[in-house]
Amino acid sequence: MGLGALGVTGMAAAALASLVTAYWSDIWRVLRGG
């Protein structure tokens, strides 16, 4: 149970990290207000 939950959380974190990395320039531009 613990290991499975940890694995799912890790995979979700990796997916989120890859998305943030892919769109980092766009995210940064929006955060800076243009």
Side-chain angles (χ1 to χ4, degrees):
M1 157 69 191
L3 191 60
L6 191 63
V8 170
T9 303
M11 284 176 10
L16 187 62
S18 64
L19 275 175
V20 168
T21 302
Y23 294 105
W24 180 247
S25 57
D26 293 327
I27 293 170
W28 187 239
R29 192 179 310 129
V30 169
L31 285 177
R32 291 183 62 184

